[in-house]
Amino acid sequence: MKNPIGIIGGMGPMASQLFYKMVTEHTAAEKDQDHINLILLSDASMPDRTGAILSHQYDGPYNQMLEDARFLENAGCKAIAITCNTAHFFADMIADKIGIPILHMIRETAAAAATRCGAGAVVGIMATDGTVQTGLYQKELEAQGLQPFTPCQEIQKEVMHQIYDRIKNGQNYDAESWKRIEEEYRKAGCKTVLLACTELSVIKADEGLDDWFMDPMETLARKVIECAGKEYK
């Protein structure tokens, strides 16, 4: 296989299969051979990233992610994408330990949000406690001249409910809870809301949410396609 892109997935598995579908559907291709060479490493055994961040016990996900990245590098991959927002806390730690680039979903999404919304816009972050508390998105959005918004503690608990109690648990989203969550972001004047957890990407795909909800996985899929030298459609 020539110059594949490596994907570290399995965090969770439903999000990884959705990402592969996004890449396939958005690659301009007339035959099988026009598509991208990918190595999808679905590492479902990866320790929980939010739990590691909140407990300051980083070794588990750090070591496993570095092992996965080196595996993909040794397999001949030209770049790596990671289909987990929270995992980018650890991706930043391992970036200089490997010899190929990591396509940075958070940085790319912040740049795309700036292009979409314009300077000074309020951009909502809907994410795990781990992603919110590390400030991963806040930092990148502010660097783009945007105003990040995160919800109150009560609504953040409902976001975590959607992620962990529903999608990661193999269930559909909680529609009544989602209405309360959405109202919080609309009242804050958000020009767009980043679905900054890949389980939330699953909700957007399953429920047909409109483009007010911006999916970082879609941005990463575009970056993977362009990195592979293919046309995004």
Side-chain angles (χ1 to χ4, degrees), residues 110-135:
T115 299
R116 176 187 291 195
C117 301
V122 177
V123 175
I125 303 167
M126 195 182 297
T128 64
D129 291 348
T131 299
V132 171
Q133 292 193 27
T134 59

Side-chain angles (χ1 to χ4, degrees), residues 5-8 69 72-73 77-82 98 100-103:
I5 306 292
I7 310 296
I8 301 178
L72 292 170
E73 181 180 12
C77 293
K78 63 184 289 189
I80 291 173
I82 301 172
I98 58 175
I100 56 176
I102 294 175
L103 306 178

Side-chain angles (χ1 to χ4, degrees), residues 174-213:
D174 182 334
E176 289 303 312
S177 169
W178 190 265
K179 289 177 184 177
R180 294 190 291 272
I181 294 169
E182 182 174 341
E183 183 180 5
E184 172 89 350
Y185 287 87
R186 291 199 182 275
K187 286 192 327 190
C190 295
K191 192 151 186 188
T192 191
V193 174
L194 306 182
L195 298 178
C197 173
T198 51
E199 273 65 42
L200 301 176
S201 303
V202 174
I203 293 175
K204 181 178 181 181
D206 287 351
E207 304 303 326
L209 302 182
D210 64 35
D211 285 340
W212 183 66
F213 295 100

Side-chain angles (χ1 to χ4, degrees), residues 31-232:
K31 58 185 183 299
D32 291 350
Q33 293 75 20
D34 292 335
H35 284 277
I36 295 170
N37 289 333
L38 293 174
I39 298 178
L40 174 54
L41 178 58
S42 185
D43 191 352
S45 65
M46 182 74 68
D48 185 76
R49 283 69 58 204
T50 290
I53 289 168
L54 298 181
S55 66
H56 302 283
Q57 301 293 321
Y58 301 154
D59 285 355
Y62 170 83
N63 290 330
Q64 197 154 326
M65 195 167 299
L66 180 57
E67 181 181 346
D68 287 350
R70 285 175 172 164
F71 174 87
L72 292 170
E73 181 180 12
N74 291 334
C77 293
K78 63 184 289 189
I80 291 173
I82 301 172
T83 59
C84 172
N85 290 270
T86 312
H88 280 68
F89 177 78
F90 301 98
D92 289 341
M93 293 181 180
I94 70 169
D96 63 351
K97 306 293 191 302
I98 58 175
I100 56 176
I102 294 175
L103 306 178
H104 203 286
M105 178 159 58
I106 295 176
R107 199 166 296 135
E108 295 292 338
T109 298
T115 299
R116 176 187 291 195
C117 301
V122 177
V123 175
I125 303 167
M126 195 182 297
T128 64
D129 291 348
T131 299
V132 171
Q133 292 193 27
T134 59
L136 289 165
Y137 270 99
Q138 294 92 315
K139 173 186 172 183
E140 297 295 343
L141 290 171
E142 287 171 353
Q144 294 287 340
L146 300 167
Q147 300 180 54
F149 169 79
T150 56
C152 68
Q153 187 174 2
E154 180 181 348
I155 294 299
Q156 179 61 26
K157 286 180 180 177
E158 298 217 37
V159 173
M160 289 290 283
H161 163 68
Q162 298 283 357
I163 295 168
Y164 279 90
D165 300 335
R166 308 300 294 193
I167 305 304
K168 282 187 180 292
N169 199 29
Q171 300 185 50
N172 294 330
Y173 87 137
D174 182 334
E176 289 303 312
S177 169
W178 190 265
K179 289 177 184 177
R180 294 190 291 272
I181 294 169
E182 182 174 341
E183 183 180 5
E184 172 89 350
Y185 287 87
R186 291 199 182 275
K187 286 192 327 190
C190 295
K191 192 151 186 188
T192 191
V193 174
L194 306 182
L195 298 178
C197 173
T198 51
E199 273 65 42
L200 301 176
S201 303
V202 174
I203 293 175
K204 181 178 181 181
D206 287 351
E207 304 303 326
L209 302 182
D210 64 35
D211 285 340
W212 183 66
F213 295 100
M214 187 173 175
D215 184 356
M217 279 222 302
E218 293 175 355
T219 302
L220 183 61
R222 177 188 284 271
K223 188 67 177 178
V224 164
I225 291 166
E226 292 173 349
C227 182
K230 302 292 185 177
E231 181 184 350
Y232 180 90

